[in-house]
Amino acid sequence: MKKKERILNAMHELLLKGHAGTASVQDIANQAGIAKGGLYYYFESKESVLDALVEREYAKIISTCRSAIEAHKDIDALSQLKLLLFTYRNSTVDAALDSFLHHTDNAAIHQKSLAYILTTLSPIVSGIIQHGVDQNVFQCEYPEEYANILLSVLVFSLDAGIFSLTMEIVIMRLKALAHLLECGLCSPVGSFSFLYDGWTKLRLSDLQEP
Amino acid sequence: MKKKERILNAMHELLLKGHAGTASVQDIANQAGIAKGGLYYYFESKESVLDALVEREYAKIISTCRSAIEAHKDIDALSQLKLLLFTYRNSTVDAALDSFLHHTDNAAIHQKSLAYILTTLSPIVSGIIQHGVDQNVFQCEYPEEYANILLSVLVFSLDAGIFSLTMEIVIMRLKALAHLLECGLCSPVGSFSFLYDGWTKLRLSDLQEP
């Protein structure tokens, strides 16, 4: 295994043990079984190790999402969106990383992770919307921007680390989003119901955690 | 002037001088002309002074926005939304505070400030949408949630500190948002054009800053 990967694995192990906050660069190097100088060859600080780890973990999810859509190129756009949402929600980062990102001290990395998810998922969602336009299922002049709006609402306004949310609030926001998209994309009433049906089922446990 | 206000003013002065990052609790107390123990009576840390300052500065803006709408209760909902947007964009926090919030070290406070703006502006926007429904100008079952979606896009996806934006991207996102809202609220095509016309004029200088 490459040294860079070993360092990221070491950081991940420290995170799972709950030591990520207090770990020094020396601790990370020890865990990886390399010299401190070796770590500095790849990363300038503990923060950049964390940044890279977060990016690696999210990149895995994005890649799973992309593969799921590529394996189902021929299904209709609504089914693709549904598949994407389910794949994304079923492959979230592990709980240790998630709770670490929601700690106040890690707000900068958390913000970067939200921006990363949004920036990398946007082209996938936008491609699906365009697919729907080509199939005459949707009407849309702004596929990229619609993708951005959809993801902004899901990623930002439903982040339980930023806002205090109840299940009722989440469901109402998703119903409103579904209604907006149905109107904006000229899609039949109820065609985006998978947004709140699926999301809330999967989201319930997240919200119930402290 | 009350001690609490003096402490916040002192923090603001340090910020304007560019010393907010390095200032200690002692420095803040000195600037306020009070004892360090006096500061700790009101605030548990420098972070909580900063939090309170950010909240105070944003509360002023929200209050200006609220007054503007209350002084124009009888105009139509679209004009009220336009007025709100212009008032908000013309009364942003000073540049020193804004650039401080966009520094990586202050991501936690920045995140809180975004959440604060969204949470406090939401009821105002939601009230305007409901006003439009009462006037038969809009059709909407989800005024609160539409307000939240509108603000999430404006506050989060157009934050130049989180995303790298060009003026073209900003205009396109706002055009898409306007189109979505026109469809979702059953408002005539072009009725939300003030969203991109007004916003971009005011936003251009923000984006051109480094």
Side-chain angles (χ1 to χ4, degrees):
Chain A
M1 190 171 19
K2 283 183 180 166
K3 265 194 189 170
K4 202 168 172 176
E5 284 300 299
R6 269 166 60 193
I7 297 165
L8 295 180
N9 291 347
M11 187 75 244
H12 204 178
E13 284 152 23
L14 289 167
L15 199 81
L16 292 172
K17 287 182 195 163
H19 300 162
T22 52
S24 64
V25 168
Q26 185 65 64
D27 296 333
I28 305 167
N30 290 348
Q31 180 77 28
I34 61 166
K36 195 173 160 182
L39 189 150
Y40 278 121
Y41 179 78
Y42 294 98
F43 298 101
E44 68 172 346
S45 64
K46 177 182 162 184
E47 277 61 43
S48 55
V49 180
L50 273 166
D51 266 357
L53 175 66
V54 169
E55 200 167 310
R56 183 182 78 172
E57 296 307 303
Y58 277 109
K60 283 182 198 165
I61 296 176
I62 307 297
S63 160
T64 308
C65 290
R66 196 177 286 120
S67 306
I69 299 305
E70 275 169 12
H72 295 84
K73 271 185 188 168
D74 301 325
I75 61 174
D76 67 288
L78 276 165
S79 303
Q80 283 186 341
L81 275 179
K82 197 171 170 176
L83 174 67
L84 181 70
L85 193 74
F86 275 57
T87 310
Y88 177 72
R89 295 301 301 161
N90 278 313
S91 54
T92 41
V93 291
D94 61 59
L97 182 58
D98 192 62
S99 94
F100 181 78
L101 286 176
H102 283 102
H103 192 277
T104 317
D105 291 344
N106 306 313
I109 301 178
H110 180 213
Q111 207 168 68
K112 265 194 225 172
S113 75
L114 295 184
Y116 179 80
I117 297 166
L118 212 126
T119 313
T120 50
L121 276 181
S122 259
I124 305 178
V125 174
S126 158
I128 297 176
I129 296 175
Q130 188 56 53
H131 176 55
V133 172
D134 297 342
Q135 288 176 321
N136 284 318
V137 176
F138 297 149
Q139 283 183 31
C140 184
E141 284 179 60
Y142 310 98
E144 282 178 46
E145 291 72 21
Y146 271 42
N148 181 274
I149 292 172
L150 166 62
L151 291 168
S152 293
V153 176
L154 295 184
V155 164
F156 177 67
S157 88
L158 299 183
D159 189 309
I162 304 178
F163 301 101
S164 55
L165 299 169
T166 61
M167 187 44 66
E168 203 194 344
I169 294 175
V170 173
I171 295 176
M172 287 300 282
R173 286 192 186 165
L174 289 169
K175 283 190 173 175
L177 180 64
H179 182 258
L180 252 188
L181 290 169
E182 288 162 7
C183 294
L185 292 166
C186 301
S187 192
V189 175
S191 56
F192 275 80
S193 62
F194 65 87
L195 219 52
Y196 43 92
D197 284 342
W199 188 273
T200 48
K201 264 177 229 153
L202 289 157
R203 186 88 192 175
L204 192 57
S205 58
D206 296 359
L207 284 170
Q208 282 172 341
E209 278 167 35
Chain B
M1 191 170 18
K2 283 183 181 165
K3 266 193 189 171
K4 201 169 174 178
E5 284 300 298
R6 270 166 61 194
I7 297 165
L8 295 180
N9 291 346
M11 187 74 244
H12 204 179
E13 284 152 23
L14 289 167
L15 199 81
L16 293 171
K17 287 182 196 163
H19 299 163
T22 52
S24 64
V25 168
Q26 184 66 62
D27 295 333
I28 305 167
N30 290 348
Q31 180 77 29
I34 61 166
K36 195 171 160 183
L39 189 150
Y40 278 121
Y41 179 76
Y42 295 98
F43 298 101
E44 68 173 347
S45 64
K46 178 183 161 184
E47 277 61 43
S48 55
V49 179
L50 274 166
D51 265 357
L53 175 65
V54 169
E55 198 167 313
R56 183 182 77 173
E57 296 307 302
Y58 278 109
K60 284 183 198 164
I61 296 176
I62 307 297
S63 159
T64 308
C65 290
R66 196 176 286 121
S67 306
I69 299 305
E70 276 171 12
H72 295 84
K73 269 185 189 168
D74 301 325
I75 61 174
D76 66 288
L78 277 165
S79 303
Q80 283 186 341
L81 276 179
K82 197 171 171 175
L83 174 67
L84 181 69
L85 193 75
F86 275 56
T87 310
Y88 178 73
R89 294 300 303 162
N90 277 313
S91 53
T92 40
V93 291
D94 61 60
L97 182 58
D98 192 61
S99 93
F100 181 78
L101 287 175
H102 283 102
H103 191 278
T104 318
D105 291 344
N106 306 313
I109 302 179
H110 180 213
Q111 207 168 68
K112 264 193 221 172
S113 75
L114 295 183
Y116 179 80
I117 298 165
L118 212 126
T119 313
T120 50
L121 276 181
S122 260
I124 305 178
V125 174
S126 157
I128 297 175
I129 295 175
Q130 188 55 53
H131 176 55
V133 171
D134 298 341
Q135 288 175 322
N136 284 317
V137 176
F138 296 149
Q139 283 182 32
C140 184
E141 282 179 62
Y142 310 98
E144 282 178 46
E145 291 72 22
Y146 271 41
N148 181 274
I149 292 171
L150 167 61
L151 291 168
S152 293
V153 175
L154 294 184
V155 164
F156 176 67
S157 87
L158 298 182
D159 188 311
I162 304 178
F163 300 102
S164 55
L165 299 169
T166 62
M167 187 43 68
E168 204 194 342
I169 294 175
V170 173
I171 294 175
M172 287 299 283
R173 285 191 187 166
L174 289 169
K175 283 189 173 174
L177 179 64
H179 182 259
L180 252 189
L181 290 170
E182 288 162 7
C183 294
L185 293 165
C186 301
S187 192
V189 175
S191 57
F192 275 80
S193 62
F194 64 88
L195 219 54
Y196 44 92
D197 284 342
W199 189 273
T200 48
K201 264 175 227 153
L202 290 157
R203 188 86 191 179
L204 192 56
S205 59
D206 295 359
L207 285 170
Q208 281 172 343
E209 277 167 36

